[in-house]
Amino acid sequence: MPHIAISIAMCVGFVAPRVVPFRQRALAHAAPMMSSAIDLAAVQTACLAKIEAAFPLNARDFAASLDCASWSSGAASGEVVGFAGEPKLGWVSRSVTTAKSGAVHAELTAWVAPAFDLPHLYQTLSLADGRLSLTLDSVSRVDLTSDAQYLEQYYLSTLPWYEGIRASAPGATDAPPPDVFMRLLRSPMVLSLSLSDSPESLAAVTRACEEATERWVGWWQGAKEVNRMKVGALFVRDTKQHRMRFQSHTDVLKAIGVDSELAERVAQAIVGPGDEQYVGGAS
């Protein structure tokens, strides 16, 4: 079975009907790994439900405006759905890409608005070449070398959990990021694993995704808005991260044969409407 990369930027408000087409495509493109592709979708659906229970999300037609809510080319096909969750969440997206080879990549991200300094949620799941791949991260919003409190609260405190997940996934190996842009975005506690496809591996991945989502939602308890000066600093950092994600998605799609114009539209739909996400202008 293939790779799973987990992106945790939150998608609240995701509904089951949107998953059905993906399952049909997974069936058509990758029959040998059909059950795992469906399980992958189920894992992210469960995580979305946890987010939706905590944040009211509003579905946006941004992907549709780019003509890639559902897209297809000779090299791959996919779906993108996006949500706004102001004032706490700037952009939440859920995307699935199925390559002609049968490889499946699903991403769930919840990008925090600059009025709050909590880490962004990023989860990716991948199936390819008989491997199941998972990436879970809480993308930092600050310079961790100069903010010891932030480092302790969101990263060092998760070390026991991190070690427990790795111990529950026997035979797992570290999965490298797809490119330099995603490497730059990674936090010190990113969990990125490649596992052989098995019921045990799927159970470990499911546990990791659900627990990471629950922990991220829990961080919001008592969260307060930052002062106006810090909002500006967070906005600048988030904008740079936004551009890195766009470039990474574009490069990955082009690498599997998607033409440049379509790759850029899909990448834009996934990462969201950019600056508009902070002023409520997402369509």
Side-chain angles (χ1 to χ4, degrees), residues 74-98:
S77 60
E79 292 180 353
V80 184
V81 291
F83 305 84
E86 296 96 345
K88 294 182 177 180
L89 301 179
W91 187 250
V92 176
S93 70
R94 179 24 161 135
S95 63
V96 177
T97 300
T98 302

Side-chain angles (χ1 to χ4, degrees), residues 7-52:
S7 223
I8 301 177
M10 317 238 133
C11 234
V12 183
F14 176 84
V15 292
R18 297 180 183 274
V19 181
V20 174
F22 154 59
R23 294 182 179 179
Q24 292 172 341
R25 271 202 297 278
L27 230 166
H29 287 282
M33 36 182 133
M34 174 187 64
S35 61
S36 293
I38 293 175
D39 288 336
L40 181 156
V43 172
Q44 291 199 324
T45 299
C47 291
L48 285 173
K50 293 178 184 295
I51 299 169
E52 186 173 15

Side-chain angles (χ1 to χ4, degrees), residues 9-259:
M10 317 238 133
C11 234
V12 183
F14 176 84
V15 292
R18 297 180 183 274
V19 181
V20 174
F22 154 59
R23 294 182 179 179
Q24 292 172 341
R25 271 202 297 278
L27 230 166
H29 287 282
M33 36 182 133
M34 174 187 64
S35 61
S36 293
I38 293 175
D39 288 336
L40 181 156
V43 172
Q44 291 199 324
T45 299
C47 291
L48 285 173
K50 293 178 184 295
I51 299 169
E52 186 173 15
F55 302 92
L57 295 186
N58 299 309
R60 301 298 192 189
D61 63 358
F62 183 62
S65 73
L66 295 170
D67 196 25
C68 56
S70 179
W71 60 274
S72 180
S73 72
S77 60
E79 292 180 353
V80 184
V81 291
F83 305 84
E86 296 96 345
K88 294 182 177 180
L89 301 179
W91 187 250
V92 176
S93 70
R94 179 24 161 135
S95 63
V96 177
T97 300
T98 302
K100 186 177 181 180
S101 65
V104 180
H105 178 83
E107 178 174 304
L108 171 64
T109 59
W111 231 239
V112 179
F116 296 84
D117 66 358
L118 283 75
H120 302 304
L121 178 65
Y122 177 85
Q123 297 182 358
T124 64
L125 301 171
S126 301
L127 297 170
D129 302 325
R131 304 288 293 180
L132 173 63
S133 302
L134 158 71
T135 299
L136 294 173
D137 202 6
S138 301
V139 180
S140 178
R141 314 285 301 294
V142 304
D143 180 0
L144 295 176
T145 62
S146 60
D147 195 328
Q149 181 178 353
Y150 197 96
L151 178 65
E152 172 63 35
Q153 181 176 1
Y154 298 120
Y155 299 104
L156 297 182
S157 63
T158 67
L159 185 56
W161 174 84
Y162 178 93
E163 293 177 337
I165 292 297
R166 288 197 63 100
S168 71
T173 59
D174 291 328
D179 53 50
V180 67
F181 298 105
M182 292 311 299
R183 183 175 286 110
L184 288 170
L185 287 172
R186 290 186 164 198
S187 79
M189 296 305 298
V190 61
L191 182 67
S192 188
L193 303 174
S194 175
L195 307 88
S196 60
D197 180 40
S198 69
E200 292 76 18
S201 295
L202 181 60
V205 165
T206 300
R207 172 194 166 196
C209 292
E210 293 187 351
E211 290 183 357
T213 302
E214 291 168 356
R215 184 180 65 244
W216 185 84
V217 170
W219 284 341
W220 283 94
Q221 299 300 317
K224 298 180 180 179
E225 294 189 34
V226 300
N227 62 53
R228 294 183 65 85
M229 287 187 62
K230 191 167 186 178
V231 168
L234 290 171
F235 175 81
V236 171
R237 185 182 181 94
D238 289 350
T239 298
K240 292 178 179 178
Q241 293 177 330
H242 183 275
R243 291 170 181 166
M244 288 180 184
R245 289 184 62 220
F246 170 80
Q247 189 62 58
S248 175
H249 280 293
T250 300
D251 291 347
V252 169
L253 288 167
K254 289 167 64 177
I256 62 174
V258 178
D259 69 81

